[in-house]
Amino acid sequence: MNNKTLTLIKPDDWHLHVRSGAALKSVIGMTAAQMGRAIIMPNLNPPVTNAAQANAYREEILSALPKDSTFTPLMVLYLTDNTTPKDIQEAIDNNVVAAKLYPAGATTNSDSGVTNIAKLYPTLENMQKLGMPLLVHGEVTRNEVDIFDREAVFIDEVLNQVVSDFPELKIVFEHITTKNAVDFVCESSNNIAATITPQHLLNNRNDMLVGGIKPHTYCLPVLKRAEHQTALIDAAISGNAKFFLGTDSAPHAKHDKESACGCAGVFSASHAIELYAQAFDKAGAMDKLEGFASKFGADFYHLPRNTQTITLKKQDWAVPASYPFLDGNIVPFMTTKILGWKLAHTQHGKE
Ligand code: NCD
Ligand code: ZN
């Protein structure tokens, strides 16, 4: 590294939504230009609940990639009340790398999610036995729980119990947003890790709400107060291998976000690594970016680190106002703002 460029092992995105059909075709090339691999979220409509659906979705993604791409999608099973231990075995036999717990109703396309985790215990037992990681959307959904408290309450009511009942189960606490979650992960065993999004590092709830509602910063779990943002930045730059990159880039058309009932989801696939570089540079921690972006996630999943590299250049550039998406547009996170690092090139190493 010098002051002007930074070369990193090619990063991976350990939490990504790419949708399907025409939406998939609009966005997948962007991630493939930045990331070696990505954990593909299974919250399609209908969701990816068995190995056959995961295989079909993987094939659809591979055929939507640019011709010379070496990008690898990592498939995930969507857990429902009816997922069986046998479904887990079949998924593993078909190279599905993880299973995702959405509490029913927590977020976009989570209606088929789990209503009571106790029903899933035989399935979690098998995941623990077979070493398949559980990916958790960590929010309770009860109406009386304030939206800003839902992650902290989930730790107290659900996660503590699961961790104590399944001490060997590998768990990724996805897109964490609070100091409570950072503390929980730090205090847990090495089986517990977490992903952190660029929006939760670069923004807090003031950025979303002061001076007018900014729908393109609205995602779930929702942005929290500044002290939580600070805890997330400290965790990301700490060099602690339990914290790694997961964008939660979640494409929704501009008109669906700029609406009386706007969808949850921030789109960052187009410039994900530049957004993380912005956050790390601001914290004076560019030397910690490679571990977070390119090493710790692969190590947690027991996958080899990528052999290709990317180079970032210190250069001011403006995030575009929009990109084409379906028959309209999509607005990227930090739209029209100036970022200080730009992806220069991808080295296409031999496979
Ligand atoms: C995600 C989506 O749109 O699929 N939205 C979001 O706000 N993060 C779903 C999710 O990961 O919660
Ligand atoms: Zn997500």
Side-chain angles (χ1 to χ4, degrees):
M1 168 169 156
N2 58 40
N3 290 336
K4 294 267 187 283
T5 66
L6 176 64
T7 296
L8 307 173
I9 297 173
K10 196 169 193 184
D12 299 303
D13 187 345
W14 300 99
H15 183 128
L16 176 69
H17 302 265
V18 293
R19 316 302 187 204
S20 62
L24 167 68
K25 291 196 180 107
S26 306
V27 297
I28 191 65
M30 298 181 184
T31 291
Q34 298 219 331
M35 305 287 169
R37 296 163 289 201
I39 282 278
I40 305 294
M41 284 294 132
N43 63 329
L44 301 183
N45 195 7
V48 180
T49 55
N50 59 47
Q53 286 171 316
N55 283 338
Y57 190 25
R58 181 194 289 110
E59 288 311 313
E60 190 194 355
I61 294 168
L62 289 173
S63 61
L65 283 170
K67 262 205 174 59
D68 58 346
S69 178
T70 56
F71 173 80
T72 304
L74 301 171
M75 307 315 290
V76 175
L77 206 67
Y78 181 114
L79 295 171
T80 72
D81 286 346
N82 303 318
T83 309
T84 63
K86 187 164 160 269
D87 291 328
I88 297 301
Q89 181 65 59
E90 277 175 18
I92 290 174
D93 293 343
N94 285 276
N95 291 325
V96 172
V97 301
K100 172 83 188 233
L101 171 70
Y102 285 104
T107 186
T108 309
N109 292 342
S110 64
D111 295 349
S112 327
V114 173
T115 59
N116 177 0
I117 192 152
K119 293 188 190 166
L120 219 57
Y121 265 36
T123 297
L124 298 183
E125 190 79 55
N126 208 30
M127 289 175 64
Q128 174 172 256
K129 188 173 130 211
L130 300 171
M132 179 191 252
L134 175 69
L135 315 185
V136 179
H137 182 111
E139 290 191 289
V140 295
T141 56
R142 297 199 313 283
N143 197 35
E144 67 272 20
V145 182
D146 188 275
I147 189 167
F148 291 102
D149 298 335
R150 288 178 173 201
E151 184 173 279
V153 173
F154 184 87
I155 296 170
D156 293 344
E157 291 188 356
V158 183
L159 209 46
N160 267 319
Q161 190 67 47
V162 173
V163 168
S164 96
D165 291 342
F166 299 97
E168 300 304 320
L169 180 62
K170 287 172 84 75
I171 298 177
V172 184
F173 195 171
E174 301 280 6
H175 43 51
I176 57 169
T177 64
T178 57
K179 179 170 188 317
N180 313 56
V182 170
D183 291 345
F184 174 83
V185 172
C186 286
E187 287 157 16
S188 298
S189 81
N190 285 340
N191 290 326
I192 315 301
T195 53
I196 307 180
T197 77
Q199 62 268 26
H200 293 101
L201 293 175
L202 290 164
N203 277 358
N204 61 60
R205 67 194 199 180
N206 275 10
D207 297 296
M208 178 175 64
L209 294 172
V210 173
I213 293 180
K214 319 294 189 315
H216 299 289
T217 65
Y218 174 62
C219 65
L220 288 170
V222 71
L223 295 167
K224 306 295 192 302
R225 34 171 95 243
E227 67 201 53
H228 294 295
Q229 179 190 11
T230 302
L232 296 169
I233 294 168
D234 289 347
I237 67 169
S238 66
N240 183 339
K242 290 171 157 216
F243 299 99
F244 45 82
L245 186 160
T247 62
D248 196 17
S249 177
H252 293 277
K254 183 172 192 272
H255 63 86
D256 289 331
K257 299 277 299 168
E258 298 175 6
S259 147
C261 185
C263 302
V266 163
F267 177 65
S268 62
S270 48
H271 55 321
I273 194 61
E274 288 104 326
L275 290 166
Y276 284 107
Q278 186 79 8
F280 276 64
D281 199 8
K282 196 163 168 222
M286 284 301 276
D287 60 321
K288 295 293 199 307
L289 183 61
E290 186 177 38
F292 176 85
S294 313
K295 294 179 175 174
F296 302 154
D299 297 351
F300 184 83
Y301 279 84
H302 295 304
L303 291 168
R305 295 174 183 174
N306 291 319
T307 53
Q308 300 178 8
T309 60
I310 60 162
T311 296
L312 292 167
K313 265 194 184 160
K314 194 155 178 51
Q315 172 194 324
D316 285 353
W317 65 288
V319 178
S322 67
Y323 290 97
F325 182 72
L326 300 174
D327 48 3
N329 292 318
I330 189 164
V331 178
F333 180 53
M334 303 269 287
T335 178
T336 72
K337 297 260 165 44
I338 304 294
L339 298 181
W341 289 86
K342 185 130 185 52
L343 183 62
H345 69 269
T346 306
Q347 178 214 317
H348 288 288
K350 296 218 165 67
E351 288 302 287

